[in-house]
Amino acid sequence: MFSLVRVAVAALVVSYGCIAGLSEAKAAVYVVSGLGLDATITTDASNNVVSITGTVGTYGADTLSPGAILGVIGGPVAEIGGGTNLAPIDNLFLPSAPYFTSTGGIAFSFVNQNSNLIGAGLWYDSPGVYELFIGNWLSDRKGELSVTAVPEPSTWAMLLIGFAGLGFVARRRWQRGEAATA
C-alpha cells in the first residue's frame, strides 16, 4: 500500500511538471508542406517566425523553376508585392489550426535554379486555404497545407521515462506474483 502511494505522488509531481511546462509559451518547430512548399519553420515564444528553411518547388501548371529558401525577410515587414498588389506581412506563425498564419502571413526569400533572388509570402486566405505568393505575382498558388509540429527532445525524454516507469512497475509486480492476482 505504501509503494502505491509513492507511485501516485510521483505521478502527480510529473504530471504537474508536464502541465506547467505546457502552459508557458515556448519556441516551436513546424514542418510545412503543400503548394510546392517543403519548409521547416521555427518560431520564438511569441510565435514570431525566426527562421524558415527548405525548398519551393513546382506546383500544378506553374513553370517557375524551383529553388532553396534562404530565410525569413526581416522582422515584421510592412508589405510584399508590387504595384497596387501590396500585401501586409506580420511574420507570425500561429500554433493552432486552421489558421497557422494570420492574414498578414510570412515573408521569405529563395533562389531559383536560374540564380534569381525571389521574394515570397505565405498567408491564410480562407478556412483551410492558404495562398503562396511568389515574386511580383509570378505565381499565386492557393490550396491546403500540411503542418506538423516537431516534438522537442524533452517531450521524447518524458515519453521514454514514462514507458520505463511502466515497465519497472510491471516487472516488480510480475516478480512478486501480483500480476496474476491483479
Side-chain angles (χ1 to χ4, degrees), residues 66-163:
I69 296 173
L70 296 177
V72 67
I73 298 176
V77 294
E79 50 198 25
I80 190 168
T84 59
N85 298 319
L86 297 176
I89 300 291
D90 58 17
N91 282 336
L92 289 175
F93 193 80
L94 310 173
S96 60
Y99 315 110
F100 293 107
T101 67
S102 66
T103 53
I106 302 167
F108 61 93
S109 61
F110 71 98
V111 175
N112 69 5
Q113 290 176 337
N114 301 327
S115 298
N116 296 322
L117 178 63
I118 300 173
L122 174 69
W123 61 84
Y124 160 78
D125 189 55
S126 60
V129 177
Y130 294 84
E131 187 169 359
L132 180 60
F133 158 85
I134 298 175
N136 192 7
W137 300 107
L138 292 172
S139 175
D140 187 18
R141 307 169 179 185
K142 289 187 179 183
E144 295 181 1
L145 287 179
S146 170
V147 177
T148 306
V150 177
E152 295 181 23
S154 61
T155 303
W156 289 109
M158 288 298 292
L159 181 69
L160 291 174
I161 289 169
F163 281 135

